[in-house]
Amino acid sequence: MEPTATVLDLNQLRRSCSTCALHELCLPAGIGVDDLNRLDATVKDKRMLDRGAVLYRDGDKFDALYVVRSGSLKTFVQNEAGDMQILAFHLPGEIIGFDALASNQHVSQAEALERSSICELPYVQLQQVTSDVPALHRQLMRVISREVVEEHRHLMMMGRQQAQEQLATFLRSLSDRYQRLQRDGNALNLSMSRYDIANYLGLVVETVSRLFSRMEEMGVLEVNRKSVRILRPDLLASLCRTDAASKQKSSG
Amino acid sequence: MEPTATVLDLNQLRRSCSTCALHELCLPAGIGVDDLNRLDATVKDKRMLDRGAVLYRDGDKFDALYVVRSGSLKTFVQNEAGDMQILAFHLPGEIIGFDALASNQHVSQAEALERSSICELPYVQLQQVTSDVPALHRQLMRVISREVVEEHRHLMMMGRQQAQEQLATFLRSLSDRYQRLQRDGNALNLSMSRYDIANYLGLVVETVSRLFSRMEEMGVLEVNRKSVRILRPDLLASLCRTDAASKQKSSG
DNA sequence: GATGCCAGTTGATCTCCGTCAACTGGTCGC
DNA sequence: GCGACCAGTTGACGGAGATCAACTGGCATC
């Protein structure tokens, strides 16, 4: 994919699931050492994606799953009219491409938000390994299930929360994921644009912009373009639900 | 679960995946006859659920997947504040419970919308079969993937469509699923309440009620409580997107 | 058959957020 | 170092849908 510029990267970051820093987050979590080597063998050499580069697009034939190794991506669907809905932002350790299992072709698009590196897991070979290694099979199911659960959260956020609650929830979840990657959970470096955030939440960009400003005024955040510092995690948490109360849209 | 009243049902509808009317919709789609018998053996006797009965609830230990055999269910999540978000309505042939694979316990609740019968697939036994029958394994993955894709549609609907478009889309998708079950796709018998529909779409019940009335005035539907007749499928289709145009929330 | 209850409908009003428009600042190309 | 361009911000305004309230009809209980 990439010319000479990245040869160095490819050689330096020699692929190996067992020594990968994302070991515990990625597919091999909970797999024995010998089985890990088998998995290792199926992983193709990593690919580099520049910002804006498309990993797969709607309609593409399914032939691999992908692990985000560094950087970040967004996945989204588009309807006939061309309306886009962002489904998720993907950080290192996350596996994408499961949407294509159903029909053997992708029904969404994955696009890099910044320069990112990707592990490719060709599916025919992965199937070989999973049929020999039941633990890996279970693990794979667990990973898809995690995606299902994550989408449940997304639906809850869109359906039942107000704009400010949504953004607060979004930032908190991002913060959590940063921490799981051993990064500072209170110093977010947003790789996605305001447009992307707005789209993900079902809002428009002006609303998101106003909310960032408001949260800054409230002393919850310190916002500087893509860099967002969470000054008061406690306040941010409290913003995730307005007044606990009894709006009709709510409870049951 | 059920006392004497249902013994007859259980005997009549003798379980057998190979002779089941839902064969083509359910898990065994595309599985050979001999493998089918093995799958058959893992299916526990069916359970009957009365309207409002809970199949599993948030926090329940995971021990089985469930196939809807007749009737219908809703699945939903609840947050700490008790706000509910309906994730899906499930018709015969559909498999539910995948959310629990990730953490070995359910993080959602499944509840019957009407008197329904359920096939239970105990997971430990299912794993036995899938490890012996790779085709079944692939099939299972395909089914979860279908759920992921379905949730993408739900997100797109919630995030990018207006209320009327949402309801039209909802009714059309229900119509499609009725047809796949060999029912009349233009004579819907809604097992869910207006509250459920509203919640599923991220709206309030008054809005849904008004939309039904409006669509009846337009001559698209004939509404009589739970019974909805689609008089003009073509018009209904056109309502799924307003004017194709260029709202900011849209395209990209 | 009267009573109560809940699902659903309809109307009046309010509000959050989308729309439109103007502006700012950062970045890239020349 | 200038201008073009795009991401992002801010303000003014309007509208889709939420909220509040009153009402209806179907159904179960006595």
Side-chain angles (χ1 to χ4, degrees):
Chain A
M1 292 288 91
E2 290 292 321
T4 48
T6 60
V7 171
L8 205 64
D9 294 318
L10 289 174
N11 288 336
Q12 282 181 339
L13 310 167
R14 210 49 230 135
R15 86 163 130 74
S16 167
C17 292
S18 34
T19 64
C20 176
L22 300 170
H23 188 138
E24 284 306 318
L25 295 163
C26 178
L27 190 60
I31 306 294
V33 185
D34 12 340
D35 292 340
L36 215 53
N37 289 329
R38 287 217 47 189
L39 177 62
D40 238 27
T42 77
V43 178
K44 266 198 179 166
D45 275 331
K46 282 176 292 295
R47 289 162 59 174
M48 291 301 299
L49 296 175
D50 280 322
R51 176 180 148 80
V54 172
L55 181 58
Y56 56 79
R57 68 181 77 232
D58 195 339
D60 277 3
K61 182 174 166 299
F62 173 52
D63 39 37
L65 297 173
Y66 305 94
V67 184
V68 183
R69 170 86 196 223
S70 71
S72 53
L73 291 88
K74 64 178 172 187
T75 48
F76 58 90
V77 285
Q78 274 176 308
N79 63 14
E80 328 74 50
D83 301 337
M84 174 178 95
Q85 174 62 52
I86 294 183
L87 304 167
F89 302 110
H90 302 277
L91 300 184
E94 296 181 22
I95 307 182
I96 60 181
F98 291 112
D99 65 302
L101 280 165
S103 57
N104 272 314
Q105 61 177 33
H106 290 280
V107 291
S108 64
Q109 180 157 332
E111 200 177 306
L113 291 166
E114 59 193 311
R115 192 165 170 73
S116 305
S117 97
I118 298 293
C119 287
E120 191 177 332
L121 309 171
Y123 192 57
V124 280
Q125 291 164 58
L126 191 62
Q127 274 186 332
Q128 281 295 331
V129 188
T130 52
S131 61
D132 295 352
V133 184
L136 190 61
H137 166 208
R138 277 194 293 277
Q139 181 62 16
L140 198 55
M141 300 277 279
R142 234 174 273 141
V143 173
I144 312 187
S145 178
R146 240 188 276 151
E147 176 162 340
V148 169
V149 172
E150 181 51 38
E151 295 199 319
H152 291 179
R153 284 210 201 85
H154 194 179
L155 282 167
M156 169 66 100
M157 186 162 71
M158 273 213 187
R160 308 257 78 78
Q161 291 191 295
Q162 302 203 5
Q164 181 172 283
E165 300 166 5
Q166 286 187 74
L167 185 59
T169 305
F170 170 69
L171 291 173
R172 252 165 68 86
S173 104
L174 213 53
S175 169
D176 284 352
R177 290 160 72 196
Y178 268 50
Q179 287 180 331
R180 228 166 294 146
L181 291 171
Q182 318 289 351
R183 301 187 197 166
D184 183 350
N186 291 324
L188 308 179
N189 252 303
L190 306 179
S191 58
M192 69 294 288
S193 71
R194 298 285 193 269
Y195 285 85
D196 286 339
I197 296 174
N199 184 287
Y200 175 76
L201 298 175
L203 304 169
V204 295
V205 67
E206 293 95 327
T207 302
V208 169
S209 184
R210 272 184 254 271
L211 288 172
F212 270 119
S213 303
R214 194 199 298 177
M215 288 187 185
E216 197 166 20
E217 277 168 30
M218 295 191 304
V220 178
L221 304 177
E222 187 178 276
V223 183
N224 204 314
R225 291 186 67 70
K226 300 274 187 187
S227 138
V228 172
R229 172 161 290 279
I230 301 174
L231 301 176
R232 295 283 306 275
D234 54 331
L235 278 183
L236 187 64
S238 72
L239 290 182
C240 291
R241 175 118 298 266
T242 28
D243 42 82
S246 47
K247 303 152 41 206
Q248 192 203 73
K249 270 187 79 170
S250 310
S251 62
Chain B
M1 288 289 87
E2 290 292 320
T4 49
T6 60
V7 171
L8 204 65
D9 293 319
L10 289 173
N11 288 334
Q12 282 182 337
L13 310 167
R14 208 53 227 132
R15 87 162 132 76
S16 166
C17 290
S18 34
T19 63
C20 176
L22 300 169
H23 188 139
E24 283 306 319
L25 296 162
C26 177
L27 189 60
I31 306 293
V33 185
D34 14 340
D35 292 340
L36 215 53
N37 289 327
R38 287 218 48 190
L39 176 63
D40 238 26
T42 78
V43 179
K44 264 196 179 168
D45 275 331
K46 281 177 292 297
R47 288 163 60 174
M48 291 300 299
L49 295 175
D50 280 321
R51 176 180 148 80
V54 173
L55 181 58
Y56 56 79
R57 67 182 77 233
D58 196 338
D60 278 2
K61 183 173 167 298
F62 172 53
D63 40 36
L65 297 173
Y66 305 95
V67 184
V68 183
R69 170 86 196 221
S70 71
S72 53
L73 291 88
K74 65 178 171 187
T75 47
F76 58 90
V77 285
Q78 274 176 308
N79 63 14
E80 327 73 53
D83 301 337
M84 173 178 97
Q85 174 63 51
I86 294 182
L87 304 166
F89 302 109
H90 303 278
L91 300 185
E94 295 181 23
I95 307 182
I96 59 181
F98 291 113
D99 64 303
L101 281 165
S103 57
N104 273 313
Q105 62 177 33
H106 289 281
V107 291
S108 65
Q109 181 157 329
E111 202 177 304
L113 291 167
E114 58 191 315
R115 190 164 171 74
S116 306
S117 98
I118 298 292
C119 287
E120 191 176 334
L121 309 171
Y123 193 57
V124 280
Q125 290 163 55
L126 192 61
Q127 274 186 332
Q128 281 296 330
V129 188
T130 51
S131 62
D132 295 351
V133 183
L136 189 62
H137 167 209
R138 277 194 293 279
Q139 182 62 16
L140 197 55
M141 299 278 278
R142 236 173 272 140
V143 174
I144 312 185
S145 177
R146 239 187 277 151
E147 175 161 341
V148 169
V149 172
E150 182 51 38
E151 295 199 319
H152 292 177
R153 282 208 202 88
H154 194 180
L155 282 166
M156 169 66 101
M157 187 162 72
M158 273 212 187
R160 307 257 80 76
Q161 291 191 295
Q162 302 202 5
Q164 181 172 284
E165 300 166 6
Q166 285 187 73
L167 185 59
T169 305
F170 170 70
L171 290 173
R172 252 164 69 85
S173 104
L174 213 52
S175 169
D176 284 353
R177 289 159 73 197
Y178 268 50
Q179 287 181 331
R180 228 165 294 145
L181 290 172
Q182 319 288 352
R183 300 188 199 167
D184 183 349
N186 291 325
L188 307 180
N189 251 304
L190 306 179
S191 58
M192 68 293 288
S193 71
R194 298 285 193 269
Y195 285 85
D196 286 340
I197 297 174
N199 184 287
Y200 175 76
L201 298 175
L203 304 170
V204 295
V205 68
E206 293 95 328
T207 303
V208 169
S209 183
R210 273 184 254 272
L211 288 171
F212 270 119
S213 303
R214 195 199 296 176
M215 287 189 185
E216 197 166 20
E217 276 168 31
M218 295 192 305
V220 178
L221 305 178
E222 188 179 275
V223 183
N224 203 315
R225 291 186 68 71
K226 302 273 187 188
S227 138
V228 173
R229 172 161 288 280
I230 302 174
L231 301 176
R232 296 285 306 274
D234 54 329
L235 278 182
L236 187 65
S238 73
L239 290 181
C240 292
R241 175 116 300 265
T242 28
D243 43 82
S246 47
K247 305 153 39 207
Q248 192 203 72
K249 270 188 80 169
S250 311
S251 62

